[in-house]
Amino acid sequence: MNRNVFITSVLLAFFACFPVLFSNPYWIGVLNDIWLYAILGLSLNWVVGHTGLFNLGHAAYYAVGAYTAAIISTHFNIPILWLIPVAGFTAGLFALVVARPIIHLRGDYLAIVTIGVGEIVRIALENDIFGITGGSNGIFGIPRPEIFDMRIRRPWQFYYLIGGFLLITIWFFYRLEQSRFGRALNYIKEDETAAEGSGINTAWYKLAAFVIGAVWAGMAGTLFAAKMSTVSPGSFVFWESVLIFAIVILGGAGSIPGVILGAFLLVGLPEFFRNFADARMLFFGAAMVLMMIFRSRGLLPPLTRKYAGVSRAGGGDA
Amino acid sequence: MEFFLQQLFNGLAVGGIYALVALGYTMVYGVMKLMNFAHGELFTMGAFLGLSFLGIFAFTESLGPFGGVLVLILLVMAMVALMGVLLERVAYRPLRSSPRLSAIVSALGASIFLQNAIMLIYGARFQVYPHGILPNIPLSFFGVEIPLLRVLLLLVSLVMMAGLYFFVQKTQIGTAIRAAAIDQDAARLMGINVDRVIQIVFIIGPALGAAAGVMVGIYYGQINFTMGWIFGLKAFTAAIIGGIGNIPGAMLGGLLLGVLEAMGAAYISTAWKDAIAFAVLILILLVRPRGILGERVADKL
């Protein structure tokens, strides 16, 4: 464990100093994207990795959060960072309404329905639903965020803003993993029937997990809207959901370091291959297939699984 | 009333295409319990190969419009069937005993790979099928003018579906497919070569999808490397609406979805056309979680 603490501290120190050491705004921008996708990945990890629900429409909740923040901040001139909880609440409420009737569906059915929900949300945004989403152009001119009278507009400023939120995210999901709630979810994922049998209200837990993931995605949406100062339906297409899903699965579903590594690989690595821009997605697809064949639990799978393996194989020697 | 009949016929023609693609999804799902996301891309491949072959061999000039299109479709079906077998070998067979999630991710990866391969080969722009491959004679039914092309589209789809239905119900291989769909292990014990069955499923499904691709190219005139995604998703939706794993269900679901979409586009709004399909899916799953013709199967314990 001590080694892990050491590695974590070194990494933290390195990334805390990164903008000072390397003032190249391009690479800071890339890291900002990585942080944002790490936050999204961790939020989906709570649904896919911990609860075993195939959500292939996570971008929908991200979109609801981003649009909520964008609409309120442009119409009522409210500083966008204050809207983080509001956007989280809206996305969570939306997830609650959508997921309540469908949460009992079996894995694949749930996957296709969540894809459907994601597409419906995107089409609704494109069709300027309620006349407030701006159609296919989206919403632009979102005021820049401010912290203590400092206007956030440079990449390094966003670096600390989004990076700070990522740290909160890591802390939150780490605590949640350790909680009674987190343990119940793992139990449901391992064996739903046994969990139900031992008195766990599985439907309630699954719904709660789904909503928590959506709330967090909605909050990440606010950061996205603040960073881009514009939102449009093109940012919330199905492939966005697939990318977030792939970050979770390839990094290691259920593992916080795994998901962060996944964000680095899937968002950061392609930047090194800019010259092959057209073929990038080809490699991306092939990598997904190969990973599943050779390392299906991801690059950094969670450690706790070992315990389950021991008790299953050993029978009574726990 | 005439407008309604017109829309009904439009919907049936497009629904026939959805149904053909849906059959591929439903057969793969029935036997392997796998959502083959890459199926939509095989459909796209069919459309592009059709265009290429049309340019290379000029079928319609030497064999006449109807014979030419028929030979073209058969050739494309054969090519894409080969790709289906290859896809199964590379992306799905190594994962036969892995958890569901791994197979789904692999399918997504294969879908991304194929879509981008098509883009790299053919380019990202829309490609156009030559105009008037089939002579467009307007036919009249109940006082409604319906182009021959639409009637043919529906007829070809129906013939293929009927052929598949009899193949699965009446032949020995069909019986093996049905047995493997119910229980692979038991089928193996009865001496059925399940690997062969899966291979056959990956020949028939992609072949039907490829035929649909060529038909879409001829019908709409325009094809694009992303077309398989939305068509595939709708066809999968159709398969689920009808009851996945169920062949008549896929046909019914496809035709129903086509008609509902045409009606929705006509009476509600074209901009919401794609959303209607998914709304119908969600509503049907709420009422009948196994689809319209799906049997009540106990969840795996």
Side-chain angles (χ1 to χ4, degrees), chain B residues 173-195:
Chain B
I173 303 173
T175 313
I177 293 177
R178 279 181 292 137
I182 295 169
D183 188 335
Q184 283 196 14
D185 291 326
R188 213 170 270 127
L189 286 176
M190 303 312 283
I192 291 171
N193 185 344
V194 175
D195 280 347

Side-chain angles (χ1 to χ4, degrees), chain B residues 7-296:
Chain B
Q7 290 305 318
L8 181 71
F9 222 90
N10 286 353
L12 283 175
V14 177
I17 297 179
Y18 287 156
L20 276 187
V21 185
L23 285 170
Y25 273 113
T26 223
M27 286 184 72
V28 168
Y29 195 94
V31 174
M32 296 176 72
K33 305 285 172 288
L34 165 76
M35 253 161 93
N36 179 16
F37 276 109
H39 189 61
E41 272 60 48
L42 294 174
F43 156 88
T44 315
M45 205 62 190
F48 275 96
L49 278 179
L51 184 59
S52 293
F53 288 158
L54 205 57
I56 299 168
F57 300 115
F59 286 113
T60 48
E61 280 156 37
S62 47
L63 298 167
F66 298 105
V69 168
L70 195 67
V71 173
L72 176 75
I73 287 181
L74 290 176
L75 185 64
V76 171
M77 284 172 85
M79 293 288 289
V80 175
L82 210 66
M83 288 165 56
V85 172
L86 199 70
L87 171 76
E88 192 268 332
R89 256 286 156 73
V90 175
Y92 302 142
R93 186 172 295 186
L95 290 164
R96 203 76 66 68
S97 54
S98 311
R100 282 283 223 9
L101 187 68
S102 309
I104 287 190
V105 176
S106 182
L108 273 173
S111 164
I112 295 173
F113 179 88
L114 286 176
Q115 194 182 97
N116 284 277
I118 296 169
M119 186 199 76
L120 289 174
I121 297 168
Y122 287 98
R125 262 183 283 164
F126 275 93
Q127 303 236 0
V128 187
Y129 264 67
H131 192 67
I133 299 176
L134 292 175
N136 213 354
I137 309 155
L139 300 172
S140 187
F141 294 93
F142 310 108
V144 190
E145 298 253 308
I146 292 166
L148 174 70
L149 190 56
R150 252 169 237 162
V151 180
L152 273 180
L153 207 64
L154 185 59
L155 270 180
V156 172
S157 308
L158 288 176
V159 167
M160 285 192 182
M161 286 188 262
L164 177 68
Y165 185 73
F166 283 108
F167 176 74
V168 170
Q169 290 298 325
K170 302 286 180 208
T171 64
Q172 209 177 2
I173 303 173
T175 313
I177 293 177
R178 279 181 292 137
I182 295 169
D183 188 335
Q184 283 196 14
D185 291 326
R188 213 170 270 127
L189 286 176
M190 303 312 283
I192 291 171
N193 185 344
V194 175
D195 280 347
R196 273 269 318 278
V197 167
I198 290 175
Q199 231 162 29
I200 290 166
V201 164
F202 268 94
I203 290 173
I204 298 174
L208 293 177
V214 178
M215 282 153 65
V216 161
I218 295 174
Y219 182 64
Y220 289 104
Q222 277 196 331
I223 56 173
N224 175 262
F225 75 103
T226 54
M227 67 193 264
W229 156 242
I230 193 74
F231 257 95
L233 202 54
K234 282 198 196 146
F236 194 78
T237 302
I240 289 191
I241 287 176
I244 196 150
N246 181 318
I247 289 174
M251 302 182 207
L252 181 70
L255 293 175
L256 193 67
L257 189 63
V259 170
L260 283 173
E261 244 186 42
M263 295 299 167
Y267 291 101
I268 303 174
S269 138
T270 20
W272 287 88
K273 196 184 90 186
D274 290 345
I276 292 167
F278 299 118
V280 169
L281 168 77
I282 295 171
L283 287 178
I284 288 192
L285 283 182
L286 291 184
V287 189
R288 277 192 71 94
R290 303 271 156 201
I292 297 174
L293 296 185
E295 298 115 61
R296 195 59 251 146

Side-chain angles (χ1 to χ4, degrees), chain A residues 106 108-109 112 127 238 281, chain B residues 29 116 229 236 240 244 271:
Chain A
R106 220 180 48 195
D108 318 343
Y109 286 77
I112 188 96
N127 283 321
F238 171 69
M281 288 304 281
Chain B
Y29 195 94
N116 284 277
W229 156 242
F236 194 78
I240 289 191
I244 196 150

Side-chain angles (χ1 to χ4, degrees), chain A residues 3 84 92 107 109 180-181 199 214 217 222 247-248 260 269 278 288 291:
Chain A
R3 218 186 78 206
I84 289 180
Y109 286 77
R180 201 184 153 82
F181 179 73
T222 315
I247 285 172
V248 175
I260 297 169
L269 207 56
D278 284 343
M288 276 171 84
M291 274 290 290

Side-chain angles (χ1 to χ4, degrees), chain A residues 8 11-12 15-16 30-45 84 157-175 216 219-220 223 247 255-264:
Chain A
T8 313
L11 283 177
L12 263 179
F15 284 113
V30 170
L31 273 175
N32 287 348
D33 282 344
I34 295 175
W35 294 162
L36 196 60
Y37 279 102
I39 295 169
L40 284 169
L42 289 172
S43 71
L44 182 64
N45 181 39
I84 289 180
Q157 294 169 312
F158 275 109
Y159 181 93
Y160 288 110
L161 175 68
I162 303 176
F165 194 77
L166 173 62
L167 288 180
I168 297 173
T169 308
I170 294 171
W171 174 80
F172 174 79
F173 282 111
Y174 178 75
R175 296 292 299 175
W216 219 270
M219 297 199 291
L223 292 179
I247 285 172
S255 143
I256 291 174
V259 173
I260 297 169
L261 179 69
F264 263 95

Side-chain angles (χ1 to χ4, degrees), chain A residues 34-152:
Chain A
I34 295 175
W35 294 162
L36 196 60
Y37 279 102
I39 295 169
L40 284 169
L42 289 172
S43 71
L44 182 64
N45 181 39
W46 194 250
V47 183
V48 174
H50 284 279
T51 325
L53 298 170
F54 297 179
N55 179 358
L56 278 173
H58 206 51
Y61 311 101
Y62 182 37
V64 170
Y67 268 86
T68 305
I71 290 166
I72 298 179
S73 83
T74 49
H75 277 75
F76 302 100
N77 217 5
I78 296 171
I80 193 157
L81 294 182
W82 292 15
L83 295 171
I84 289 180
V86 182
F89 177 78
T90 323
L93 195 67
F94 177 67
L96 188 69
V97 173
V98 168
R100 215 189 125 74
I102 61 172
I103 202 80
H104 65 274
L105 292 173
R106 220 180 48 195
D108 318 343
Y109 286 77
L110 189 67
I112 188 96
V113 170
T114 53
I115 294 175
V117 171
E119 284 296 292
I120 290 176
V121 167
R122 185 185 59 79
I123 294 166
L125 295 175
E126 248 167 31
N127 283 321
D128 200 8
I129 192 172
F130 310 131
I132 51 173
T133 68
S136 51
N137 294 325
I139 297 169
F140 32 86
I142 300 166
R144 290 291 185 192
E146 280 179 30
I147 298 178
F148 304 126
D149 292 337
M150 181 175 75
R151 189 160 281 240
I152 313 267

